[in-house]
Amino acid sequence: MKKRPLIAGNWKMYKTASEAVTLVQTLKAAAHAVSNVTIVICPPFTALSEVSRVLKDSPIHLGAQNMYCAPEGAFTGEISPMMLKDSGCRYVILGHSERRQYFKEDDILIHEKVKTALKYSIIPIVCVGETLAEREAKKHFDVVKAQFADSIGRLEKEDIPKVVIAYEPVWAIGTGKTATPDQAEQMHSYIRRLLNERYSQEVGSRIPLLYGGSVKPDNTKSLMEKPNIDGALVGGASLKAESFAQIIQEAQQTYETGNKS
Ligand code: 13P
């Protein structure tokens, strides 16, 4: 039996607060027709509070795109877990490849952030994934294994069930080049095996594994049909209500059809 899909939109550095409100109003209306998908949107920090007000009484959850690992303090430019909670966030994306690449975040820092998020009951969506050079050198499994070990595998057994993992191959982000469903499934089943070996099969089977990288309405079904793909982390296609709503509908249909057969 497949898990209820989780579809998350990462808006990256797009949308002013007023543009975000317009987008979320349309999405909110579309979400009424959806009952079997967990929907999360992650706007920029500056739009969180206003979007949260629009989302009141809506099944759509709010998430942030980053967070610092200290509860408060002299950390100019950073955002704390309490600030995210205060802005209505239930989720936070951590360790996105753009944070790793442009802001030099490493797995040790990402692990600290994951622990802090969990301490404050914020669900971390922890990203892992290899670059094109790493895949071409056939190091993709080793790279993801090391990222997993250092950022996630150091969590205690009682914390791991609250984590969501996103596999985002860097070469597929914003490039229009999706990993094929088979390539994605291969890595997802590998991550599932890492979870099973580090924790237990029972724990491993419960953790949602999202795929991210050029997810669009027309490739959602073929990805979501794979046994270890439990959802998607969507960038570009989450910036338009129509395409994000279509992805959500595709995920719902695939889930409902899969569980009937
Ligand atoms: P795209 O869907 O634009 O490729 O972005 C993926 C991503 O980075 C989501 O976090």
Side-chain angles (χ1 to χ4, degrees), residues 8-12 93 96-98 127 166 168-170 172-177 211-216 232-239:
N10 173 9
W11 292 8
K12 307 195 179 184
I93 299 170
H96 191 280
S97 64
E98 287 149 16
C127 304
E168 297 206 315
V170 180
I173 295 177
T175 58
K177 253 198 223 171
Y211 168 78
S214 298
V215 174
K216 304 276 180 274
L233 182 52
V234 186
S238 71
L239 294 170

Side-chain angles (χ1 to χ4, degrees), residues 158-224:
E158 58 272 21
D159 282 332
I160 189 74
K162 297 159 214 150
V163 171
V164 175
I165 300 176
Y167 169 57
E168 297 206 315
V170 180
W171 48 272
I173 295 177
T175 58
K177 253 198 223 171
T178 334
T180 65
D182 285 341
Q183 282 173 322
E185 171 60 20
Q186 239 189 357
M187 187 58 85
H188 280 229
S189 67
Y190 181 67
I191 297 170
R192 188 85 68 201
R193 212 173 77 209
L194 294 174
L195 282 165
N196 294 347
E197 285 167 4
R198 167 65 184 88
Y199 298 98
S200 69
Q201 199 136 3
E202 195 267 325
V203 169
S205 65
R206 270 200 283 158
I207 309 286
L209 302 183
L210 314 184
Y211 168 78
S214 298
V215 174
K216 304 276 180 274
D218 61 4
N219 59 25
T220 303
K221 179 172 183 285
S222 57
L223 287 160
M224 295 298 305

